[in-house]
Amino acid sequence: MRAAMRFLALNLFAATMLAGATAQAATFSCRETPIVQPVASLSTLSARVAQGPSLTILAIGSSSTEGIGASAKDKTYPARLRALLGKAWPNLPIEIVNAGIGGETAPQTLIRLKTALSARRYDLVIWQVGTNDAVNGGDLGAFKTMVGDGIAMVKQAGVSLALLDPQFFPGVREPERYRDFVAAIANTARGQNVPVFTRYDAMREWYRNDAQAFTSALSSDGFHMSDAGYDCLARDMATALIGMTAPSRAVMAQTAR
């Protein structure tokens, strides 16, 4: 009897150790992934970064901006992005306003974006767009028009703009239709010389590198991002922003005077 109990205990211990090792092996590890086209730039914002006195960013969109799936407010992508940029630019006070509302589609966000731009001055708008429009069966042609209208609105306000496209997740229904919305954002932005944080491509690359570990980048619903996913996204975005706002020679010369 004791031998049998010892055998069961050993088996249980081995199974526990194996489960722990498997869980550890499946932990998501953030690898830097290029998230904007190499030619993208934010030249207008470069002077602000180089000269100050501060930097104010509006992060607007739906649940990915609000931070659904994150365990706390300081784990959302806007909060993590502010912390990372603060380390990169320690002498530049940075504020990122999180204006994310879960479930919104492009026309709803456009209304709020117009109000936000009229209420105060921002140096940069990061507009996360497209996920709910694609998932909820929105009209692709109307969506393209709305993205173009939003770009024009921000440009008219004299504010720098970058778009954040939809997340990748393995359970997406109608993947071809979903990709059409991702492509619509890229094509519309390219025509207006607006950079896009290509979250869809970055997350798809995470998935291809390790599909099992990728589950840790998503929350329990398999759709929204987790703390690890938001953090990795923010790291890629911070790297991209630092590159896109690297002071040009003209700005550096003017600052040195």
Side-chain angles (χ1 to χ4, degrees):
M1 182 68 175
R2 289 182 179 178
M5 290 296 292
R6 186 178 301 169
F7 177 78
L8 288 173
L10 287 172
N11 276 352
L12 179 60
F13 175 78
T16 302
M17 293 297 292
L18 179 61
T22 302
Q24 186 175 6
T27 300
F28 176 71
S29 178
C30 183
R31 301 177 182 178
E32 183 175 332
T33 307
I35 201 168
V36 292
Q37 295 179 351
V39 297
S41 66
L42 289 170
S43 55
T44 304
L45 195 63
S46 297
R48 191 70 171 182
V49 172
Q51 300 172 6
S54 61
L55 185 67
T56 305
I57 299 173
L58 173 66
I60 193 167
S62 55
S63 56
S64 293
T65 301
E66 182 181 356
I68 302 299
S71 63
K73 290 184 178 180
D74 64 351
K75 303 296 185 181
T76 65
Y77 103 71
R80 292 297 303 131
L81 180 61
R82 196 216 65 79
L84 293 164
L85 292 180
K87 291 181 179 180
W89 301 321
N91 298 321
L92 183 66
I94 301 170
E95 179 188 7
I96 298 185
V97 177
N98 187 332
I101 295 180
E104 272 197 348
T105 55
Q108 295 170 312
T109 306
L110 267 179
I111 295 172
R112 290 197 302 117
L113 178 57
K114 183 177 181 179
T115 301
L117 291 174
S118 63
R120 64 177 295 188
R121 172 74 184 182
Y122 293 97
D123 301 301
L124 171 67
V125 169
I126 301 175
W127 180 18
Q128 173 248 320
V129 64
T131 300
N132 293 320
D133 301 87
V135 170
N136 295 335
D139 179 78
L140 183 60
F143 174 75
K144 289 180 182 178
T145 300
M146 282 182 281
V147 172
D149 290 345
I151 291 174
M153 183 191 304
V154 178
K155 283 190 170 185
Q156 188 174 5
V159 180
S160 295
L161 172 67
L163 302 181
L164 175 60
D165 71 9
Q167 70 262 46
F168 168 84
F169 61 103
V172 62
R173 292 181 297 177
E174 300 183 274
E176 290 186 9
R177 171 184 166 77
Y178 194 84
R179 286 194 296 268
D180 285 343
F181 276 78
V182 174
I185 295 169
N187 294 334
T188 304
R190 188 181 302 114
Q192 298 292 330
N193 197 29
V194 171
V196 178
F197 293 116
T198 54
R199 177 171 54 148
Y200 179 87
D201 288 342
M203 292 183 69
R204 185 174 58 178
E205 190 64 24
W206 301 350
Y207 180 73
R208 287 174 175 173
N209 285 334
D210 192 335
Q212 184 178 9
F214 179 76
T215 59
S216 297
L218 300 180
S219 66
S220 58
D221 64 11
F223 174 60
H224 294 100
M225 302 178 80
S226 65
D227 289 353
Y230 283 127
D231 179 71
C232 196
L233 172 65
R235 291 178 183 278
D236 287 341
M237 291 176 70
T239 299
L241 273 174
I242 292 166
M244 289 190 290
T245 56
S248 64
R249 291 182 179 179
V251 171
M252 292 176 67
Q254 184 177 1
T255 305
R257 291 175 185 173

